[in-house]
Amino acid sequence: MGQAQRSDGRNVPRGREEGRRAQYPVQRRRKQNGTRNRTGNAYRNSARDGLSVIAGNRAGGGAQGSRSRAGERAGQQSKGNDGLENLELWEISRESDDSRIMRLANREQIRFDQRRTRPGLQQNRRNTGNPRPVSSIKRRRARKRRLNLYRIFVFLMIGVCLILIYQTTGAIYRMAHRESVDKGKGIVDIVSKKIEGNRIEAPPITIDYLEPNEFSRPGTELKKIKSVFVHYTANPGTSAAQNRSYFANLAETQERSASAHFIIGYEGELIQCIPLEEQAYAVATRNEDSVSIECCYLDEDGKFTQETYDTLVHTLAWLTQEYHLSENDILRHYDCGGKMCPLYYVEHEDAWEKLLADVKSYRPEKDAESN
């Protein structure tokens, strides 16, 4: 084999020299590819991290400083939006005038355009966020709907209960008062009838008012009635009409002032001399709040006849009912001033107590039987 002579004068075998020459292009291409890959990766990384390195390396001149500031602004924009990487690469390509970076910038521009034109991308980006407020609003709305339904249900139940109570009460009432309903009479009619049955009617009265005068009928208003006084005429054997005439003649004789609202004769007749709305001259200290009844008699002891007694009991029971009084409000003239009037009932306390008991137990049935 021949030998090849190197530049340093050393002889190298020819076969080995040719093998090295054959391997040289392969190693050179590998070295160039590795350098190219490292250069491309370096440019990509520098583009993504910003243009601060490039700006720092090229901050010497005025044009280069302006380009570096533009690169910094582009880097700041790239932090907010990854789609501006193509702008950074384009600035790099313009400064370095490298065809590889130009191709990289073109590829990034194509990717950015594809992402921007992808349907629904921007809408999805705008709608993405924290889902908690939306879910909480939905829960509140659902809770509010449940609360409204619960309220409606409660109101319906209350209405149904009220209707059932009303119907049950009506059924019980109809069962308890079936006979009254059949007869066309309700509970009000029954109670009214019972009250009317127990009500004491006024006895037969002959109204014969005195003429107004200052001695027997002054015309003074009687505003209230607190008591009923019982008197006797002190004239045995005189009738109710005669005593009424005596009161009327006082306007002419003017001998004294005297009168009474009612006069009961010894035969039981009843004459009214003064309206119940006016005062009478009967009890000096109680004329302004009392009604007076004069009673006729036959015997000297002043005892009333049975007819006078019955009319007196009926009249007293009627007056106490009308003015809401009791038997304790029935008084003798003797009880206010000490005058011996009515004489018999002042001297016989037991007879007076019996009179009061008869007034308390008086019933309309007895009145009907007596009539």
Side-chain angles (χ1 to χ4, degrees), residues 22-258:
Q23 292 177 356
Y24 177 74
V26 177
Q27 292 177 357
R28 185 178 180 180
R29 284 194 300 271
R30 288 179 181 176
K31 186 176 181 179
Q32 290 177 355
N33 291 335
T35 303
R36 187 182 302 144
N37 293 334
R38 287 193 298 270
T39 304
N41 293 331
Y43 278 119
R44 289 192 191 96
N45 293 332
S46 63
R48 288 187 181 128
D49 295 336
L51 300 179
S52 60
V53 176
I54 298 174
N57 294 331
R58 298 176 179 270
Q64 292 179 352
S66 62
R67 286 195 297 271
S68 66
R69 287 192 296 271
E72 290 178 358
R73 288 195 299 271
Q76 293 176 358
Q77 292 178 358
S78 66
K79 294 180 182 179
N81 190 351
D82 294 339
L84 298 179
E85 294 178 355
N86 59 336
L87 296 178
E88 299 172 3
L89 297 175
W90 185 259
E91 292 291 334
I92 294 171
S93 65
R94 291 179 61 188
E95 293 175 1
S96 61
D97 196 15
D98 192 342
S99 62
R100 290 193 298 268
I101 297 177
M102 287 289 290
R103 289 194 296 272
L104 179 61
N106 291 332
R107 286 198 297 270
E108 293 297 331
Q109 179 67 29
I110 293 172
R111 292 175 184 174
F112 174 74
D113 294 336
Q114 290 177 354
R115 287 197 300 269
R116 186 176 60 181
T117 57
R118 187 177 301 169
L121 180 61
Q122 299 297 328
Q123 184 177 0
N124 293 334
R125 289 183 178 180
R126 287 195 298 270
N127 292 337
T128 56
N130 190 3
R132 293 181 181 178
V134 178
S135 61
S136 62
I137 292 172
K138 291 182 179 179
R139 286 196 298 269
R140 286 196 296 270
R141 290 178 179 176
R143 191 182 303 111
K144 188 174 182 180
R145 286 195 296 268
R146 288 195 299 269
L147 182 59
N148 292 333
L149 292 175
Y150 175 76
R151 290 175 178 174
I152 294 172
F153 176 77
V154 171
F155 289 149
L156 290 176
M157 291 300 297
I158 292 174
V160 171
C161 292
L162 292 176
I163 293 173
L164 292 176
I165 292 172
Y166 176 80
Q167 292 180 353
T168 304
T169 305
I172 294 173
Y173 176 82
R174 286 191 296 271
M175 291 176 62
H177 302 278
R178 187 179 301 275
E179 295 181 0
S180 300
V181 173
D182 295 337
K183 294 180 181 179
K185 297 179 180 179
I187 187 69
V188 176
D189 296 334
I190 295 174
V191 174
S192 300
K193 185 177 180 180
K194 186 176 181 180
I195 294 174
E196 291 294 333
N198 294 330
R199 185 176 180 81
I200 300 173
E201 298 293 337
I205 302 174
T206 301
I207 297 176
D208 192 4
Y209 294 147
L210 300 175
E211 293 294 331
N213 64 89
E214 57 179 341
F215 294 96
S216 57
R217 186 185 174 186
T220 307
E221 183 181 2
L222 181 61
K223 296 182 179 180
K224 57 183 178 180
I225 297 176
K226 298 174 61 177
S227 303
V228 179
F229 284 93
V230 178
H231 307 261
Y232 86 129
T233 60
N235 293 316
T238 57
S239 64
Q242 291 172 343
N243 284 276
R244 188 263 175 204
S245 298
Y246 172 76
F247 292 147
N249 290 331
L250 291 176
E252 298 177 1
T253 61
Q254 301 181 1
E255 56 182 89
R256 67 188 184 99
S257 297

Side-chain angles (χ1 to χ4, degrees), residues 231-240 242-247 255-256 258 263-266 294-304 340-341 343:
H231 307 261
Y232 86 129
T233 60
N235 293 316
T238 57
S239 64
Q242 291 172 343
N243 284 276
R244 188 263 175 204
S245 298
Y246 172 76
F247 292 147
E255 56 182 89
R256 67 188 184 99
I263 303 175
I264 301 176
Y266 52 80
E294 290 281 353
C295 297
C296 300
Y297 62 99
L298 295 176
D299 298 330
E300 292 293 336
D301 60 357
K303 184 178 180 179
F304 301 157
M340 300 297 289
C341 174
L343 180 62

Side-chain angles (χ1 to χ4, degrees), residues 303-336:
K303 184 178 180 179
F304 301 157
T305 63
Q306 187 64 39
E307 291 79 7
T308 303
Y309 184 86
D310 293 341
T311 303
L312 177 62
V313 171
H314 187 179
T315 305
L316 290 173
W318 169 62
L319 289 174
T320 54
Q321 173 190 268
E322 290 297 319
Y323 295 101
H324 306 287
L325 305 175
S326 66
E327 65 277 3
N328 297 325
D329 298 319
I330 301 173
L331 303 175
R332 298 167 295 185
H333 193 177
Y334 171 78
D335 297 325
C336 186

